[in-house]
């Protein structure tokens, strides 16, 4: 598998609980390379744009309100098969169904408040990375 990049977002529920450093340490301990990172607050309009793919779904209004409720930390991860590895490390969307040792199982409280977001494929990763980072912010 070739080197690829993906986006991970430490969500507002995790930053509010002071878990940012813990998550960064866990990513680094597992060998993930963080090539860019920033703390930001999404406006409601930005959250709506970022999650536009879910616009027709019932959870869209609560998701966008939640994601704009406080600071989050966006990270670009790089490595071989990093999208799949990150999704495995995050765990299932529902923390109750996530495997032990995953971020969502250990720290998530429900499907919406599941502490971390990760791109689900290469095309999504490209869009999501460019949403948060311009090319000059991405180290090579």
């Amino acid at each position: 598998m070739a080197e690829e990049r993906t986006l991970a977002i430490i969500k507002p529920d995790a930053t509010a609980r002071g878990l940012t450093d813990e998550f960064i340490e866990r990513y680094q301990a597992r060998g993930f390379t963080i090539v860019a990172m920033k703390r930001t607050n999404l406006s409601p309009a930005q959250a709506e744009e970022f999650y536009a793919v879910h616009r027709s779904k019932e959870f869209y209004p609560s998701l966008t309100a939640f994601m704009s409720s406080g600071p989050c930390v966006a990270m670009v991860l790089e490595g071989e098969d990093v999208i799949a590895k990150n999704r495995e490390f995050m765990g299932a969307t529902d923390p109750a169904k996530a495997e032990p040792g995953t971020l969502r199982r250990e720290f998530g409280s429900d499907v919406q408040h599941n502490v971390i977001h990760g791109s689900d494929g290469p095309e999504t990763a490209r869009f999501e990375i460019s949403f948060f980072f311009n090319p000059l912010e991405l180290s090579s």
Side-chain angles (χ1 to χ4, degrees):
M1 190 84 195
E3 290 277 311
E4 60 187 10
R5 288 182 171 177
T6 193
L7 185 80
I9 303 172
I10 302 172
K11 293 182 175 183
D13 55 331
T15 61
R17 291 167 47 203
L19 296 172
T20 301
D21 290 342
E22 173 81 17
F23 282 22
I24 292 167
E25 288 171 13
R26 286 183 182 222
Y27 271 105
Q28 291 175 327
R30 285 194 169 230
F32 285 91
T33 301
I34 302 170
V35 297
M37 180 169 38
K38 68 170 67 170
R39 183 177 172 102
T40 189
N41 286 67
L42 292 173
S43 70
Q46 289 168 325
E48 289 169 3
E49 181 182 350
F50 184 77
Y51 285 105
V53 67
H54 299 300
R55 190 176 311 272
S56 64
K57 298 185 177 144
E58 186 177 305
F59 61 82
Y60 178 75
S62 63
L63 172 63
T64 57
F66 164 62
M67 288 302 294
S68 60
S69 69
C72 61
V73 176
M75 303 181 293
V76 177
L77 310 174
E78 183 177 76
E80 189 172 319
D81 203 24
V82 73
I83 295 170
K85 289 177 181 175
N86 183 48
R87 294 192 65 77
E88 181 180 329
F89 180 48
M90 291 186 317
T93 304
D94 182 348
K97 296 177 182 174
E99 293 291 323
T102 62
L103 294 173
R104 288 175 172 160
R105 176 65 172 256
E106 289 190 33
F107 301 102
S109 29
D110 58 52
V111 173
Q112 184 166 279
H113 302 93
N114 62 13
V115 300
I116 194 88
H117 166 93
S119 305
D120 62 6
E123 297 80 23
T124 307
R126 280 190 288 279
F127 165 75
E128 292 182 346
I129 290 168
S130 69
F131 187 89
F132 282 95
F133 298 93
N134 70 55
L136 292 174
E137 295 174 304
L138 299 171
S139 59
S140 47

